[in-house]
Amino acid sequence: MSEAAHHEEHPTGISRWLFTTNHKDIGTLYLWFAFIMAVIGGLMSLVIRSELWAPGLQMVDPHFFNQMTTVHALIMIFGFVMPAFVGLANWQIPMMIGAPDMALPRMNNWSFWILPFAGSLLLLSFLAPGGGPSAGWTIYPPLSVQGGAGMDFTILAIHMLGISSILGSINIIATILNMRAPGMKLMKMPLFVWSWLITAFLLIAAIPVLAGAVTMLLTDRHFGTHFFDAAGGGDPVMFQHVFWFFGHPEVYILVLPAFGVFSQIIPTFARKPLFGYTSMVFATATIAFLSFIVWAHHMYTVGMPLSGELFFMYATMLIAVPTGVKVFNWISTMWRGAMTFETPMLWAIAGVFTFTLGGLSGLMLSITPADFQYHDTYFVVAHFHYVIVGGSVFALFGAVFYWLPKWTGNMYDETLGKWHFWLTFIGFHVTFFPQHFLGLAGMPRRIPDYALQFAEFNVISSIGAFATIAVQLIFFYLAFKAMRGGEKATDQVWEGAEGLEWTVASPAPYHTFATPPQVR
Amino acid sequence: MSMNEKKSLTGVRFTGIASRLFAALVLITFSGLAFAEYALNFQRPVTAIAQELYGLHMLIFWICVVIFVIVFAFMFYSIFKHRKDKGFKPATFHESTTVEVVWTVIPFLILVGMAVPSTATLLKMEDTRDADLTIKVTGYQWKWQYEYLDHDVNFFSNLSTPREQIENKAEKGENYLLEVDNEVVIPVDKKVKLLVTAADVLHAWWVPQLGVKKDAIPGFINAMWTKVDEPGTYRGQCAELCGKDHGYMPIVVNAVSEDEFNAWVKSKQAEQVAMAAEAGKTFTQAELMERGEKVYAQCVACHGATGAGIPNVFPAITGSPISTGPVDAHIDIVLNGKPGTAMQAFAAQLNDVDIAAVVTYERNALGNSVGDVVQPADVKARRK
Ligand SMILES: [Cu+2]
């Protein structure tokens, strides 16, 4: 790839970042934002785990504890995992489909720059009278109607985050559908691109529903409506239906791009093409479809009619089929490959492993009668951390190590990368595995204090949490080191890597594919 | 409290972090053998439904374990064998319709196998017909009210764990956070129907050993039922986030023989008659203050033990405009609450004597000294 020198020109200093329309710059901004949010959300989780270190109240009062659980979740979901994957999409999708940039670069700038304001608004809620939101990230009324102005800040922040996501999704869809290089047929696209295409549609369908729900909440709070107030003819359970109509697709919004990442990394290090490409695409689409008809499995205990409980149980169980297909395909890709285990591959394998454990506990949760025992306990907390951390966050680590050499032009420190992987992996399981037991034994979630029989596993979980967060210092160090220099990466970077992004120079020039490549 | 001295329900004593970790690893390794004893699994079921749930749970659990073992046996075999450093040459296959069909159909069949018993159990759980006894359960921030619809018995049930234990100033008792002042008493071997609702925000009534959990929703009534096999005390907690003291609203069910149950009903009824008789009496300030201090325990969660409240969330009582202003407004806010805020209506929760006592207490303690005395008759006059 020979790029003319003027192609590399761009403003410097702050204006480069404020006004940039370059997909790589914007991708970098998203990743930095996600990173900062992850640090803040991670510190909040330590507040939670310190309070739960022992029975009794030692660190914070219960009201503040509730604010921590609420904002930790909101930040990790909307501030960390979602923006991080949008960052990856920005960096990679144009390079993977042979496009010079995103289809709508100016909108791209805007969809990023909404985020810091939304994030600040959410954090500023702590300064409002009565503190931040404390009704859980699910902000169920009537509790969320009781809260102070922090709740209003949160609603506004959710609106802004939502607008950003919708703009980002429109851009991703427009890019994928219109900007592919000649010969890059849909069914030739890398799976990461496919996953994002489907995710973007999910976002466009789900986010407005959330926006509707929180707007109704806002008018209930301030403008005398009674959407969710039974005394005024409303229905508090309706909020839950609307919320989870968004909320269930949301969990796939968090995890489908991760599936895409696994599907890129595993063939590279197995040196063997992805097994069952077509069935992967269809499984992803099926999961996306099913995700819209299973929402009420989050609310089996609200007192639905029996027929409703049965429908949602059957539909939810069905999701196991396409999800199973994906896992089997990944393992078949590894089967009889010639594998090596560089850091990205370790993350991908650990991701598939951990996500599958979370998927199996999800299958248990889908069984309505059994869920009457599991619901709102630590079993659920364990389950969703297995899928979101084990699935999405492990995939993010894998993706960063996989593409970092392409982004920076330098190889990261492999030995340290492995150390970071193993310590995080072990720390994660020490933190969350015991939470399954806590839940089964009867510990409700979202409580700052607990009965004595839960003490042992809570200590273990807290130790795991502190260790896991502490070893992320290694990650900071690794990432900074690779940005500053190190062994030069080749254009190909990984022996088994295939795809257009590996045909451009490392580090990837500021502008790539100004003239479209010809795909086969 | 000291962690080493506390007696854990599991009967195991842990000292130090290292041995805790070690113990956990051992437990995790041998979990299959050790289940019920180490609080690794469901609490011991005491109803037929809870027993069925346990069976169902273990069934799906073992199915998941088998799936897990088979799937990851393949993966780990591959990881150990199909490595470049062992000189393995990669194959090139990348699809096979046959295997794709097989691994779509087999999981589907397994799911059908799981759905059948699940459906059967669910049908039983939701069949609330032909109950012998009905209790209406209402969740409040942060206590439960129980109304025995067939017996005219009605009471509130509050956490009884002393504040000092929660604040780590006293040794924690065996049932820390799982103990209440008034237990729900039910007869064994009778089908008890529970109608669950809430007065303010969502709550959920859950007793693991009975295998019942349903959300308590303001304005709606959910039904569930239980039939306990053996006498005993069974403990549970509110399971739906309901604000600041969500962790502090336990449930204690005491299952007793039918005779004991009838005796208990009689004594409760007698208690209620005695309380009603009191309402006509005139009390001295000292009597009211003493009683008011006890009633104020129900206000502590929000207004604080010293009356300081939580700034911007729950107002102080000390020096507050209503507690030091005209007495009628004070009685009114306690009777009717303030809609849209956490201040609930106590009219149905407390009798005239209690309200008179707590209002008198708030006006003459907690740093206030208005000096007046509120009699039950004053409260009665303001009831709507
Ligand atoms: Cu509650």
Side-chain angles (χ1 to χ4, degrees):
Chain A
M1 267 277 139
S2 68
E3 299 278 340
H6 72 267
H7 276 158
E8 289 300 299
E9 275 169 22
H10 51 68
T12 50
I14 186 81
S15 57
R16 165 174 177 189
W17 300 106
L18 276 179
F19 306 127
T20 182
T21 55
N22 179 287
H23 73 102
K24 300 187 183 81
D25 279 356
I26 295 176
T28 305
L29 285 171
Y30 266 107
L31 290 171
W32 273 111
F33 175 79
F35 178 74
I36 293 167
M37 285 290 141
V39 172
I40 299 174
L43 293 177
M44 289 180 179
S45 75
L46 292 188
V47 175
I48 297 171
R49 284 310 329 164
S50 335
E51 180 52 59
L52 292 174
W53 184 273
L57 290 177
Q58 32 274 320
M59 300 282 299
V60 294
D61 71 86
H63 182 64
F64 189 71
F65 181 88
N66 289 344
Q67 296 172 37
M68 285 291 110
T69 53
T70 304
V71 182
H72 162 75
L74 289 170
I75 291 218
M76 288 308 206
I77 294 170
F78 292 101
F80 166 36
V81 177
M82 288 170 72
F85 278 119
V86 181
L88 289 184
N90 259 291
W91 254 102
Q92 294 308 130
I93 288 177
M95 288 205 291
M96 290 172 111
I97 62 173
D101 204 312
M102 296 294 279
L104 307 160
R106 221 162 270 288
M107 192 168 91
N108 204 8
N109 171 291
W110 197 40
S111 43
F112 170 75
W113 278 107
I114 293 175
L115 284 183
F117 294 95
S120 316
L121 195 62
L122 184 57
L123 291 173
L124 280 175
S125 70
F126 283 107
L127 303 180
S134 59
W137 83 278
T138 50
I139 50 176
Y140 283 176
L143 188 59
S144 52
V145 175
Q146 275 183 1
M151 195 63 227
D152 303 315
F153 282 44
T154 308
I155 291 175
L156 206 57
I158 290 178
H159 272 304
M160 291 165 68
L161 293 162
I163 291 171
S164 159
S165 291
I166 290 178
L167 295 180
S169 304
I170 292 175
N171 208 349
I172 286 171
I173 294 174
T175 307
I176 297 176
L177 294 186
N178 298 308
M179 310 264 294
R180 277 169 289 130
M184 177 65 84
K185 299 207 192 66
L186 280 177
M187 288 310 275
K188 267 193 184 165
M189 294 194 311
L191 259 168
F192 179 73
V193 181
W194 255 117
S195 306
W196 245 117
L197 180 63
I198 292 168
T199 306
F201 277 106
L202 280 184
L203 274 163
I204 289 182
I207 295 279
V209 179
L210 173 67
V214 296
T215 307
M216 287 191 273
L217 198 59
L218 190 73
T219 63
D220 266 17
R221 286 170 55 82
H222 296 295
F223 307 117
T225 56
H226 300 281
F227 290 112
F228 309 127
D229 175 10
D235 179 354
V237 179
M238 186 175 74
F239 179 88
Q240 301 185 26
H241 281 292
V242 182
F243 180 87
W244 286 112
F245 188 84
F246 144 81
H248 199 76
E250 171 68 21
V251 307
Y252 288 98
I253 288 165
L254 299 174
V255 91
L256 289 185
F259 289 176
V261 169
F262 296 150
S263 302
Q264 298 304 127
I265 295 178
I266 293 175
T268 298
F269 296 94
R271 294 170 179 73
K272 187 167 153 275
L274 183 73
F275 187 86
Y277 176 94
T278 319
S279 73
M280 282 301 223
V281 173
F282 281 105
T284 311
T286 312
I287 292 174
F289 168 75
L290 287 174
S291 76
F292 281 105
I293 57 164
V294 296
W295 74 88
H297 68 216
H298 295 271
M299 36 193 290
Y300 282 143
T301 59
V302 293
M304 271 183 285
L306 184 63
S307 50
E309 291 179 339
L310 287 174
F311 169 79
F312 285 107
M313 171 167 78
Y314 300 147
T316 305
M317 292 171 82
L318 268 188
I319 293 194
V321 175
T323 314
V325 167
K326 301 207 73 121
V327 173
F328 302 147
N329 280 337
W330 288 320
I331 293 177
S332 305
T333 306
M334 294 162 67
W335 191 256
R336 296 183 47 214
M339 278 188 277
T340 51
F341 300 91
E342 288 87 343
T343 309
M345 183 63 160
L346 291 177
W347 281 113
I349 293 174
V352 172
F353 176 83
T354 312
F355 174 82
T356 305
L357 277 173
L360 291 170
S361 62
L363 184 58
M364 296 173 73
L365 286 160
S366 76
I367 307 292
T368 314
D371 181 73
F372 276 90
Q373 292 286 45
Y374 310 137
H375 180 66
D376 266 330
T377 68
Y378 260 83
F379 191 77
V380 177
V381 177
H383 159 72
F384 66 70
H385 283 95
Y386 265 72
V387 289
I388 299 181
V389 183
S392 312
V393 178
F394 283 13
L396 282 171
F397 277 127
V400 167
F401 286 109
Y402 186 53
W403 283 311
L404 201 59
K406 181 56 64 187
W407 301 339
T408 63
N410 307 316
M411 295 307 286
Y412 59 88
D413 181 334
E414 189 63 57
T415 316
L416 264 187
K418 291 204 165 99
W419 269 102
H420 168 251
F421 163 77
W422 281 109
L423 293 174
T424 309
F425 179 73
I426 295 168
F428 167 85
H429 286 278
V430 171
T431 311
F432 293 106
F433 202 71
Q435 295 186 359
H436 291 105
F437 301 136
L438 286 173
L440 295 180
M443 179 167 161
R445 63 191 282 203
R446 294 169 165 165
I447 55 173
D449 192 359
Y450 48 82
L452 301 183
Q453 69 261 40
F454 305 127
E456 276 73 39
F457 284 131
N458 268 298
V459 178
I460 298 171
S461 184
S462 292
I463 294 171
F466 276 91
T468 311
I469 302 270
V471 297
Q472 300 320 308
L473 290 173
I474 307 180
F475 178 75
F476 298 180
Y477 174 74
L478 264 173
F480 276 110
K481 206 172 138 195
M483 277 179 244
R484 308 189 64 131
E487 187 200 328
K488 291 282 160 265
T490 61
D491 294 357
Q492 171 72 16
V493 184
W494 310 110
E495 188 191 28
E498 283 189 34
L500 291 175
E501 79 260 45
W502 309 109
T503 63
V504 304
S506 295
Y510 199 61
H511 296 289
T512 36
F513 298 125
T515 40
Q518 184 69 41
V519 180
R520 259 170 279 188
Chain B
M1 73 132 198
S2 120
M3 298 278 299
N4 297 338
E5 277 159 34
K6 88 153 207 282
K7 183 169 157 293
S8 86
L9 284 195
T10 63
V12 184
R13 274 163 204 257
F14 293 104
T15 45
I17 287 163
S19 64
R20 264 165 212 276
L21 264 178
F22 175 73
L25 286 176
V26 173
L27 290 191
I28 289 164
T29 320
F30 295 108
S31 53
L33 306 171
F35 263 105
E37 294 160 50
Y38 294 97
L40 290 162
N41 205 348
F42 282 3
Q43 298 172 24
R44 190 175 57 84
V46 295
T47 65
I49 286 291
Q51 185 63 48
E52 247 182 69
L53 290 180
Y54 180 78
L56 192 59
H57 155 70
M58 290 316 285
L59 173 75
I60 354 168
F61 170 73
W62 285 116
I63 292 177
C64 288
V65 169
V66 171
I67 297 175
F68 176 81
V69 168
I70 295 176
V71 170
F72 287 99
F74 277 98
M75 189 171 100
F76 284 106
Y77 179 86
S78 185
I79 288 175
F80 288 113
K81 287 284 170 193
H82 306 147
R83 312 169 66 104
K84 193 183 172 202
D85 58 15
K86 292 209 170 151
F88 203 89
K89 292 275 167 291
T92 51
F93 67 87
H94 58 86
E95 62 191 354
S96 157
T97 314
T98 326
V99 283
E100 297 270 3
V101 170
V102 168
W103 68 40
T104 309
V105 172
I106 292 183
F108 184 79
L109 295 178
I110 297 177
L111 292 179
V112 173
M114 290 163 68
V116 173
S118 310
T119 306
T121 304
L122 190 62
L123 291 179
K124 280 184 222 163
M125 290 178 86
E126 296 292 359
D127 182 1
T128 52
R129 287 170 302 177
D130 305 324
D132 299 314
L133 170 74
T134 307
I135 304 175
K136 181 174 166 220
V137 182
T138 310
Y140 290 78
Q141 284 175 317
W142 293 283
K143 58 184 162 252
W144 295 99
Q145 180 187 20
Y146 299 97
E147 291 166 83
Y148 287 62
L149 300 184
D150 314 297
H151 299 96
D152 199 23
V153 167
N154 175 358
F155 58 90
F156 280 82
S157 176
N158 295 282
L159 175 76
S160 64
T161 302
R163 230 25 246 173
E164 300 77 56
Q165 291 189 15
I166 295 173
E167 285 162 5
N168 302 318
K169 290 175 190 146
E171 183 80 18
K172 292 181 171 47
E174 192 188 348
N175 293 316
Y176 176 69
L177 296 189
L178 296 178
E179 50 200 347
V180 296
D181 52 1
N182 293 308
E183 301 175 353
V184 201
V185 178
I186 58 169
V188 288
D189 295 327
K190 294 268 183 232
K191 183 163 182 176
V192 180
K193 181 166 166 178
L194 297 154
L195 300 175
V196 199
T197 185
D200 35 45
V201 300
L202 305 173
H203 303 269
W205 200 86
W206 179 36
V207 180
Q209 288 186 279
L210 307 190
V212 287
K213 181 191 284 153
K214 272 267 159 90
D215 291 1
I217 302 165
F220 292 79
I221 292 181
N222 274 329
M224 59 186 175
W225 66 274
T226 187
K227 188 169 172 186
V228 181
D229 299 336
E230 51 179 291
T233 305
Y234 308 113
R235 297 167 199 277
Q237 280 178 272
C238 174
E240 179 66 58
L241 179 62
C242 56
K244 175 173 141 313
D245 279 359
H246 165 53
Y248 300 96
M249 51 183 292
I251 297 151
V252 181
V253 175
N254 195 359
V256 297
S257 71
E258 193 171 3
D259 290 344
E260 281 174 83
F261 175 72
N262 290 334
W264 175 81
V265 167
K266 288 236 166 55
S267 74
K268 272 282 170 193
Q269 285 167 339
E271 226 173 78
Q272 278 167 220
V273 171
M275 276 201 288
E278 271 183 346
K281 251 179 77 179
T282 304
F283 292 81
T284 67
Q285 191 187 27
E287 281 171 333
L288 287 167
M289 291 293 283
E290 194 192 325
R291 182 154 180 169
E293 189 175 353
K294 294 207 184 82
V295 179
Y296 186 74
Q298 302 205 23
C299 324
V300 169
C302 298
H303 296 297
T306 60
I310 297 181
N312 294 316
V313 184
F314 303 120
I317 295 297
T318 313
S320 87
I322 293 181
S323 318
T324 55
V327 70
D328 284 353
H330 195 165
I331 298 175
D332 285 350
I333 192 164
V334 180
L335 275 174
N336 308 321
K338 175 121 184 230
T341 73
M343 182 59 200
Q344 49 201 264
F346 283 92
Q349 303 183 35
L350 299 175
N351 59 34
D352 293 348
V353 185
D354 286 337
I355 293 182
V358 78
V359 172
T360 307
Y361 177 76
E362 285 188 337
R363 299 174 78 77
N364 298 297
L366 307 171
N368 295 334
S369 49
V370 184
D372 49 4
V373 175
V374 180
Q375 292 296 343
D378 304 330
V379 177
K380 192 170 182 198
R382 298 210 63 82
R383 277 196 190 260
K384 289 198 187 114

